[in-house]
Amino acid sequence: MIVSVVSMPGGITTRTSLSETRARLAVSDFLLADVQLSDEPAADEQEVVGLLGLEAESPPWFGRPGVPARAEFHGDRAGFVVPVVQEGHFVHVHALVTERHLVTLHRGPAEPLEGLIARLGLESPPDTVAVLFLLLQEALETFRRAAVAHLLEVEDLEDEIFEQRRPQQVYRLARLRRRAALLHHFLLPYLQATDEVIARRMLSRDFPEERQRLAREFQHVGRLVLADIESLQEATRRAFASYSSLVAGEQNRVINRLAIVSVVFLPLTFLTGYFGMNFTYLTDEMESRTVFWLLAVGLQAAVLLLALYVLHRTRVWRSLRDDEGVQDR
């Protein structure tokens, strides 16, 4: 377990114990306390909440594993479960904010908190609520970076599909589409919950103008990030449509070749079937070798040449050859 305490103003970060953190939370007026639990559940989060002395301030779900994204406002404090994209995985950061301190709790490292602590050394937020909005925007930034990276991957994959189609590309597209769906699945409920809380707070007359500005800015960034994720979903659908159109085009070329073969051999099949019937005229009158060569062979050769001439005049061969050239490139 790693406990980091950031004293404001100044953004001085120190590593300390839970007992020392509890003491500082009781006396400090502006403090950020970040508790990083180990990846393996060595201690229950509820025990950590008790050791920090936050039972009365925190909502009942604070620190519990498996809690989905949510946002709740309770008088002079608010609780959040913030989804974060961390190295391809989704992590939930629990945040409790009051007028005096901001406490975060999570398992394993959390990139937004590392970025937030680094920003606190350069910026001077006026209160804990401003620090909270910085944290929320850092969390949104992880979704935006993931969406942009996946969008570039989809575009590169679409270029590869047009250059040379391979079955492995379908698996990669399916994985990216699943990834886009997960990003949308984790972010949308979180934005809906935060929008609901912010809308209720903005109705209050005691909500300061500066905090309203921070809230509107967060909502604007959230909509932009959600639009990036929806663009990623649309790009994956477009890439699947491109792949399907290429497969359909190849199937059409195969059908065209089969149609050409049918055009060539259908008259020949008719002739062989007709002269193979045991009519009296065919068996009694067409007995010479000359009649055989003229009708059985010459007529079929004439029909074949006529079919090839018609195909050549209608430029069917050229169109098929051009399609094959485009496919090879």
Side-chain angles (χ1 to χ4, degrees), residues 296-311:
V297 179
L299 187 57
Q300 296 187 30
V303 171
L304 179 60
L305 293 175
L306 179 62
L308 293 176
Y309 175 77
V310 171
L311 292 175

Side-chain angles (χ1 to χ4, degrees), residues 267-276 282 286-304:
L268 305 181
T269 304
F270 169 75
L271 290 175
T272 54
Y274 179 77
F275 286 104
L282 295 176
M286 297 183 180
E287 296 179 349
S288 66
R289 185 174 301 176
T290 303
V291 173
F292 169 77
W293 284 104
L294 288 176
L295 295 180
V297 179
L299 187 57
Q300 296 187 30
V303 171
L304 179 60

Side-chain angles (χ1 to χ4, degrees), residues 39-304:
D39 294 332
E40 297 296 330
D44 187 74
E45 288 83 343
Q46 288 297 106
E47 296 180 3
V48 174
V49 173
L51 293 174
L52 291 174
L54 300 175
E55 303 96 326
E57 296 182 353
S58 62
W61 48 260
F62 184 76
R64 291 182 179 177
V67 179
R70 64 193 304 168
E72 293 183 3
F73 176 76
H74 303 280
D76 59 347
R77 64 187 185 276
F80 294 83
V81 179
V82 185
V84 174
V85 183
Q86 182 75 24
E87 296 180 354
H89 301 283
F90 294 94
V91 180
H92 285 94
V93 176
H94 291 229
L96 174 66
V97 60
T98 68
E99 294 293 340
R100 299 178 55 250
H101 52 251
L102 172 63
V103 180
T104 58
L105 190 148
H106 55 92
R107 285 199 177 277
E111 181 181 346
L113 286 163
E114 297 174 0
L116 172 63
I117 294 175
R119 290 180 63 179
L120 292 179
L122 303 175
E123 303 180 13
S124 299
D127 52 27
T128 56
V129 177
V131 178
L132 172 67
F133 278 108
L134 289 177
L135 170 62
L136 298 183
Q137 291 200 17
E138 287 288 337
L140 287 178
E141 185 66 16
T142 63
F143 280 86
R144 188 195 66 82
R145 286 195 295 266
V148 172
H150 293 325
L151 181 59
L152 294 176
E153 187 177 354
V154 171
E155 292 177 351
D156 293 339
L157 183 57
E158 191 171 10
D159 293 337
E160 293 179 10
I161 289 174
F162 282 105
E163 291 176 1
Q164 185 178 4
R165 185 174 56 82
R166 295 187 297 271
Q168 296 82 357
Q169 295 163 345
V170 178
Y171 169 75
R172 292 173 59 188
L173 280 177
R175 181 177 58 83
L176 289 170
R177 184 172 63 177
R178 173 63 176 170
R179 192 65 182 173
L182 287 175
L183 289 173
H184 192 272
H185 171 75
F186 277 94
L187 183 62
L188 182 59
Y190 165 66
L191 292 180
Q192 291 174 342
T194 53
D195 285 345
E196 182 179 353
V197 170
I198 290 174
R200 290 204 309 267
R201 285 296 292 143
M202 284 187 174
L203 294 176
S204 177
R205 295 181 178 180
D206 59 350
F207 196 51
E209 182 64 28
E210 177 62 21
R211 294 184 180 179
Q212 293 185 26
R213 183 189 65 81
L214 293 174
R216 287 192 294 266
E217 182 179 352
F218 166 75
Q219 289 177 316
H220 176 67
V221 174
R223 286 191 290 268
L224 292 179
V225 175
L226 188 61
D228 289 337
I229 295 176
E230 291 173 351
S231 298
L232 172 61
Q233 291 179 309
E234 179 63 28
T236 56
R237 287 191 290 265
R238 185 183 65 246
F240 266 108
S242 299
Y243 190 93
S244 300
S245 64
L246 291 177
V247 172
E250 183 176 345
Q251 292 176 345
N252 290 335
R253 285 190 291 270
V254 172
I255 294 174
N256 288 338
R257 294 189 183 96
L258 293 176
I260 291 173
V261 173
S262 299
V263 169
V264 172
F265 287 97
L266 186 59
L268 305 181
T269 304
F270 169 75
L271 290 175
T272 54
Y274 179 77
F275 286 104
M277 292 184 291
N278 294 323
F279 293 134
T280 303
Y281 177 79
L282 295 176
T283 57
D284 296 342
E285 301 297 333
M286 297 183 180
E287 296 179 349
S288 66
R289 185 174 301 176
T290 303
V291 173
F292 169 77
W293 284 104
L294 288 176
L295 295 180
V297 179
L299 187 57
Q300 296 187 30
V303 171
L304 179 60

Side-chain angles (χ1 to χ4, degrees), residues 2-75:
I2 301 175
V3 183
S4 301
V5 177
V6 183
S7 301
M8 300 298 295
I12 301 175
T13 305
T14 57
R15 296 286 177 85
T16 182
S17 62
L18 285 175
S19 58
E20 177 65 22
T21 303
R22 177 172 182 170
R24 297 184 65 176
L25 287 173
V27 300
S28 177
D29 292 333
F30 194 174
L31 196 70
L32 167 62
D34 174 50
V35 181
Q36 175 184 329
L37 301 174
S38 60
D39 294 332
E40 297 296 330
D44 187 74
E45 288 83 343
Q46 288 297 106
E47 296 180 3
V48 174
V49 173
L51 293 174
L52 291 174
L54 300 175
E55 303 96 326
E57 296 182 353
S58 62
W61 48 260
F62 184 76
R64 291 182 179 177
V67 179
R70 64 193 304 168
E72 293 183 3
F73 176 76
H74 303 280

